[in-house]
Amino acid sequence: MEKTKIILDENEMPKKWYNVLPDLPTPLEPPLDPRTKEPLTPEALEPIFPKELIKQEMSDKRYIDIPEEVLEVYRLWRPSPLYRAHMLEKVLKTSAKIYYKYEGVSPSGSHKSNTSIAQAYYNMKEGTERITTETGAGQWGSALSLACNYYDIECKVYMVRSSFYQKPYRKSLMNIWGATVVPSPSSDTEFGRRILKEQPDTPGTLGIAISEAVEDAVAHDNTKYALGSVLNHVVLHQTIIGTESKKQLEQEDTYPDIVIGCCGGGSNLGGIGLEYIKDKLEGTYDPRVIAVEPSSCPSLTKGEFRYDYGDTAEMTPMLKMYTLGHTHVPPAIHAGGLRYHGDSPIISKLHAEGLMEAVSYDQKEVFEAAVQFARTEGIIPAPESSHAIRCAVDEALKCKKTGEEKTILFNLSGHGHFDMTAYDKYFEEMV
Amino acid sequence: MEKTKIILDENEMPKKWYNVLPDLPTPLEPPLDPRTKEPLTPEALEPIFPKELIKQEMSDKRYIDIPEEVLEVYRLWRPSPLYRAHMLEKVLKTSAKIYYKYEGVSPSGSHKSNTSIAQAYYNMKEGTERITTETGAGQWGSALSLACNYYDIECKVYMVRSSFYQKPYRKSLMNIWGATVVPSPSSDTEFGRRILKEQPDTPGTLGIAISEAVEDAVAHDNTKYALGSVLNHVVLHQTIIGTESKKQLEQEDTYPDIVIGCCGGGSNLGGIGLEYIKDKLEGTYDPRVIAVEPSSCPSLTKGEFRYDYGDTAEMTPMLKMYTLGHTHVPPAIHAGGLRYHGDSPIISKLHAEGLMEAVSYDQKEVFEAAVQFARTEGIIPAPESSHAIRCAVDEALKCKKTGEEKTILFNLSGHGHFDMTAYDKYFEEMV
C-alpha cells in the first residue's frame, strides 16, 4: 500500500539549518551602503537587526544550530508532512510521481513561521521590545505576529494597501495574536505621508511598506525591523523544509528529478531547493530546480542582475539581485506575496550561475491549477503556492507524453484560507 | 523529551467504526413517522437516504467496516494528530495534562469530513446523482461539497441566512469544490418561500434549512439528502476520532480522566466520547464525559427529553431527544454550528442515563478561552470548538487548585479560519 503522507517523528526533525554561502561557486557580492555605495560593515546593520542575525547573514559556517527554544515552538507543526499527490496524479494520468511538502500546517498557515520564530527569538535574546515589519499577502505579517506573541515582543505590521483591503481577515488574524496592523502607505511614517500626498491612490508596494517599517524601527528605541524574505538569514531558516523533505523522500526510496518553488523574494524556494542545490554543487545528484514567478512581476525571468535598493525610499542596503527596479509598481495581482521588485541575492546568484531555472505564468493558468489541486488533493492552496502547482502539473504532463517516471517535488508553501476573494475574482472573471 | 504531537502512522488508522447502539443500557427509542406517530420502517427513509446508511442507522453490529475507498480519502488527513497542550498548560500553571485531538487538519477544516466522505461514498454506490443538505456555520456544507466532488455527485447547500452573510468565504470554499450554495430560507423551495413571506427578516435556523433540503431531495429524481449531525450513522462515522485518540494516549501511557466535546447536534462529541463511554459501559474505566453547549442554545442543559421533529416544517421523522422545541429560533450567535434546537438521540440517551454530563457557557467566556488558546497553542480554533476549550481550561484550573494531575482530553473539532468576523465582533465588544 503506497502512502499518502510521509511523516517524520518529532525526534527526526533537523537540528541545524543549512547555510549555502560557503558552498556557492563564486562568493556572494556584499550589500552596499545606500549612501556611500561602499560594502556595508556588520555594525551598520545593528540599528535594525539583532547581532546574531547579522552574523548569520554573513556566516561562512555550513551548518548553524537551531536553538532548543526555537525547536520547541517548531514542534507545534514540524516536521511538516510530505504528501504523495495520488489523487492529482490519477486525474492527470501522468507517469510521474508528484510529491509536495505542505507548509500550510503551521498555525499562521505558511512557511513564514520557520523564520519568524527564529527572528523573534534572537531579538528577544538581545532585549528587543518591539519589531516592525511589512507584509504583502499577509502571510509574513501573520507569522511574525504569532512569533512576537511567543516572545512577548510588541509587533507593528505595515500591510500593502491593496492586500489590506483585499484580505481583511489577515488583519483579524494578526490582531488575535496581538499585533497592530496599518495599511501602507500610512500616516505613521514620514515616508508614508509623502507617498500618500504624491500618489493618494497607490495600491502600495512591498518596497514602500519596507521603507515605512525600517523608518519606524530606526526612529524608536528598542525597536528592530524584521524581513520575511530576500535576506540570507531568512533563506537559511527556511532550509529546514528541504532537509526534512529529503529524509522523507528517502523513506520512499526516491530522489527528486525536479524541485519546484514559487518565487517572490525567494525564501520558500530557497527553503525547498537549497538542500538539493547542495547536492548539485557536490556533484552527487543533478536535479533541476525551478523558480516560478507571476508574469506580472517577472524579476528573475525579465529583470536585470545588478545592485538595487531593497525598498522604494532607498533606505535599505543595496543588494546584487535580479530586479525590475526599486520604484517598479506591479499590478495588484491576487498573489500579493509575489509582488516584490527584486529577489534574494542567493537565489539570484544561483540563477545567474545556471544552477536554477526560472519560469513565469499568468494568473489564469495559476488559478486553473489551484482549483484542479483543490478538487483532487482537497487542500485549498495559497495563490502564491499555486504557481508551483502550475509548474508541477506542466512537468507531470510532459512526463505523460514521454512516458517518463520522473519524481517531481514542489513546495506547497501555504494554504489559501485567507485568499477567498482571489478565488471569488477568478470565478467571476471566468463567467 | 515529552512530545508535542502524538502521531499515528497511516497503517495504524482504525479500519472500523464503533457502533454504540447494541451497548446502550436501554434500547434507543425508534424514530416516529411525522404524520402517523408510529415507529418508522426502514423503507420510509429510502426517499431521502441510501439503503446502506439506513442500515447503519439501525444496526446492532458493534463494529462496522470502513470501506477501503473511504479509508483512501481519509488518508489525506487521517490519522489526525493528538496534541499535548504544553504551551497552554504552562500559561495556566496547571498540574493537569491537557491533550487535544485536532480535526482541523481535514481539507474542509473540521471533523465533518469523517462522515461526509462516508455518506457521499454510499450514495455514489447506490447511484445518487445529486445531494442536498443544510449548513449552519458552514463546516458541514464545506465537508459535503468536498466529498461530493470526490464521487462526482452534484451538491446543493441550503446555508442558514445569518451564517451565509456572516461567513461569505465559506460559500467561496464550497464553490471551489463545485457546490451550489443559497441562503436559507430561499425561494428555491415551497417551505422557504412560505417562511420568506411570513418572516422576511428571519436570520434562518438549521431547522428551516433542513426542511428546505429535505423538500428539495424528495422533489427531485436521483437526489438524496444528507445530514451532518444528530443521526446515529453520522455519530458512528465520527467514532474514528475517539478510537484514534485512545491509541495515541496509549503511546503516552495515559488514559483520560475527563473527555470533552462541544455539542450542537452531538456528532463531534460522540466522535471523541463514545470510545470512552464504551469503557464505562464495560466497567473497565470510568472517565467523565462532558458535553459543552452555548448558554443561548442550551438543549441538553435546559431542554426537555421527549419526541420532537428534527426540522421546522415537521417533515423529518420525530426523534426522542433533548429539545428546545422545533420552532425555537436561537439568537444569531457566533458559533452557528451549535444553533440546533435538538440533540443526537444517542447523546440524549447517554445524558438521560447519567453517562454524560452537560455544561453551558456564554460567548464571552468562550472567546476568552479561544484567544488564550490561539496565543499559546497557535491554532485559531473554531468558535464551536472553543466551547470545549473553555471547559478544558476550567477543569485544568480546578486541578491547579487541588494539585491533581488529571489527564484532560478534548476534541478541537475545527479551525476558525473562516470565522474571523466572529473574532472581530468579540474584540469590538470588548472595547
Side-chain angles (χ1 to χ4, degrees), chain B residues 355-381:
Chain B
L355 289 157
M356 199 179 262
E357 305 169 33
V359 295
S360 71
Y361 287 102
D362 69 31
Q363 290 196 83
K364 192 165 165 286
E365 306 169 276
V366 167
F367 274 89
E368 273 167 17
V371 170
Q372 182 173 47
F373 188 81
R375 290 185 180 173
T376 49
E377 296 298 307
I379 297 168
I380 308 290

Side-chain angles (χ1 to χ4, degrees), chain B residues 273-289:
Chain B
L274 290 182
E275 181 70 29
Y276 302 98
I277 293 281
K278 182 177 73 177
D279 296 338
K280 281 171 90 92
L281 293 166
E282 286 177 350
T284 49
Y285 287 95
D286 193 25
R288 292 170 61 199
V289 180

Side-chain angles (χ1 to χ4, degrees), chain A residues 1 3-5 9-10 75-76 78 83 149-150 169 172 175-177 374-376 378 417 421 424, chain B residues 1 3-5 9-10 75-76 78 83 149-150 169 172 175-177 374-376 378 417 421 424:
Chain A
M1 174 82 226
K3 282 196 177 177
T4 298
K5 301 182 296 302
D9 196 81
E10 281 178 22
R75 275 193 276 272
L76 285 174
R78 301 211 75 86
Y83 276 84
N149 158 76
Y150 276 126
Y169 295 158
S172 317
N175 290 158
I176 291 174
W177 287 320
R375 290 184 180 175
T376 48
H417 299 171
T421 43
D424 285 350
Chain B
M1 174 83 227
K3 283 198 177 177
T4 299
K5 301 181 296 302
D9 196 82
E10 281 176 23
R75 275 188 211 104
L76 286 173
R78 301 211 74 86
Y83 276 83
N149 158 76
Y150 277 125
Y169 295 158
S172 317
N175 291 159
I176 292 174
W177 287 320
R375 290 185 180 173
T376 49
H417 299 172
T421 43
D424 285 350

Side-chain angles (χ1 to χ4, degrees), chain B residues 163-185:
Chain B
S163 292
F164 186 90
Y165 293 106
Q166 265 175 24
K167 305 189 175 185
Y169 295 158
R170 273 281 172 196
K171 173 177 161 287
S172 317
L173 190 57
M174 295 183 250
N175 291 159
I176 292 174
W177 287 320
T180 307
V181 192
V182 292
S184 164

Side-chain angles (χ1 to χ4, degrees), chain A residues 62-92:
Chain A
R62 262 192 117 194
Y63 291 97
I64 291 173
D65 288 335
I66 307 176
E68 181 49 45
E69 294 89 336
V70 171
L71 289 173
E72 193 190 328
V73 182
Y74 276 1
R75 275 193 276 272
L76 285 174
W77 74 94
R78 301 211 75 86
S80 71
L82 179 77
Y83 276 84
R84 171 81 185 271
H86 289 299
M87 305 273 196
L88 179 60
E89 287 174 23
K90 210 190 287 180
V91 165
L92 296 176

Side-chain angles (χ1 to χ4, degrees), chain A residues 37-67:
Chain A
K37 311 268 161 39
E38 291 297 314
L40 264 188
T41 60
E43 293 72 33
L45 290 167
E46 287 179 10
I48 55 171
F49 294 121
K51 291 189 183 109
E52 181 59 31
L53 291 177
I54 299 170
K55 216 168 108 189
Q56 292 181 1
E57 186 66 21
M58 304 174 173
S59 173
D60 57 5
K61 277 178 63 184
R62 262 192 117 194
Y63 291 97
I64 291 173
D65 288 335
I66 307 176

Side-chain angles (χ1 to χ4, degrees), chain A residues 94-137:
Chain A
T94 177
S95 46
K97 287 181 187 172
I98 307 175
Y99 290 91
Y100 56 96
K101 183 75 171 159
Y102 186 35
E103 291 293 307
V105 293
S106 84
S108 72
S110 82
H111 68 294
K112 297 284 185 184
S113 290
N114 298 328
T115 185
S116 70
I117 297 294
Q119 291 191 46
Y121 169 76
Y122 291 119
N123 269 288
M124 176 274 289
K125 291 293 278 183
E126 296 183 27
T128 305
E129 290 171 2
R130 183 170 173 271
I131 297 182
T132 64
T133 198
E134 76 294 329
T135 198

